[in-house]
Amino acid sequence: MNIIFISTSIFLGIGLAVDALSVSMVNGLNEPKMKLKKLLGIALTFAGFQFLMPLIGWFLVHKAVEYFKVIEPFIPWVALGLLCFIGGKMLYEGIRGWNDEDDKEEVKLEKKELIIQGIATSIDALSVGFAIADYDAAMALVCSMIVGVVTFIMCAFGVKIGAAFGTKLEGKASVIGGVILICIGIAIVLRSF
C-alpha cells in the first residue's frame, strides 16, 4: 500500500461522506444542545455505514455481480425515499411546532431515524465496490476503513457546525433541516443520471 492508494482512499472517503456531512449538520441544527456522546454516536453510525457499504459492494462485485447490477439503478431512489421520509417528518414536526407557541422544544433524533439516515446517505457507496473491484480483500478493507475514518471526522464536525447555527435559528431548524434532507435525496437521484 502506497501513498497513492492512501490518498485515493481519503479522497474517496471525502466524496462519499459529503451527504453524511450534510445530514450531520442537519442533526446538529435540529438539536443544538446535543451531548458529546450522542454527537460521537451519530458520527460513528455514519462512519460505520460508509465503512460497510463499499465492502458489501466489493463482495457483490466478486460474488454476485449479476444480482448487484439488477438493483444498482434503484439505489438512488431508495436513498431519496428514505431521506424524504425523514425530511418530511421533520418538516411536519417543525411546522406543527410553529403553530404551538408553547412547545418550542428541540426535536431529538431517535436511533431508528439515525439508522435510516445512515443507510440513506451511504447506500450509494455500494457502487464503490465496482471502483475498488481490482483491490484484493486486504486493500478493500483498508480503503473502507479510511473511508469510515474520514466520514467520522467530517460528521463530527458537521454536527458541531449545525449545532452552532441551530442555536441561532431556534424553532425553524426542524423545517430547514427537513427541506435540506429532501434536497439531498433529490441531489442523489440527479447525480445518478
Side-chain angles (χ1 to χ4, degrees):
M1 292 181 217
N2 57 31
I3 194 75
I4 294 172
F5 168 77
I6 292 171
S7 34
T8 301
S9 298
I10 290 171
F11 285 116
L12 184 61
I14 292 169
L16 288 173
V18 170
D19 293 336
L21 169 68
S22 301
V23 175
S24 294
M25 290 172 71
V26 169
N27 289 335
L29 180 73
N30 201 39
E31 196 176 329
K33 295 179 180 116
M34 184 182 300
K35 297 199 183 304
L36 179 63
K37 181 178 176 181
K38 188 168 187 179
L39 180 150
L40 295 175
I42 289 171
L44 192 59
T45 299
F46 286 121
F49 278 107
Q50 292 287 21
F51 163 74
L52 282 175
M53 291 297 186
L55 282 180
I56 292 169
W58 180 86
F59 176 79
L60 290 172
V61 166
H62 286 273
K63 304 295 180 193
V65 173
E66 54 284 345
Y67 299 117
F68 183 70
K69 286 185 180 180
V70 170
I71 65 164
E72 188 179 17
F74 301 104
I75 289 173
W77 295 100
V78 171
L80 173 65
L82 293 171
L83 289 171
C84 282
F85 172 75
I86 297 167
K89 184 174 183 262
M90 287 176 69
L91 269 171
Y92 172 76
E93 289 170 353
I95 292 169
R96 192 184 73 198
W98 282 349
N99 296 331
D100 188 1
E101 291 298 321
D102 297 331
D103 188 20
K104 293 260 184 179
E105 191 175 309
E106 61 190 35
V107 180
K108 305 257 186 204
L109 177 69
E110 296 177 21
K111 288 179 184 174
K112 174 179 66 172
E113 292 169 331
L114 178 59
I115 298 297
I116 293 170
Q117 288 178 353
I119 293 168
T121 58
S122 65
I123 199 164
D124 60 335
L126 275 173
S127 58
V128 170
F130 284 125
I132 63 173
D134 59 333
Y135 290 0
D136 62 25
M139 287 177 71
L141 179 64
V142 170
C143 177
S144 293
M145 288 172 64
I146 291 171
V147 167
V149 168
V150 168
T151 302
F152 179 84
I153 293 167
M154 288 176 65
C155 291
F157 280 114
V159 172
K160 290 300 278 180
I161 291 167
F165 286 105
T167 304
K168 293 177 176 73
L169 294 172
E170 293 180 19
K172 297 171 186 68
S174 184
V175 172
I176 293 168
V179 170
I180 291 171
L181 288 181
I182 292 168
C183 289
I184 292 169
I186 292 168
I188 289 171
V189 169
L190 291 177
R191 283 195 312 245
S192 70
F193 292 114

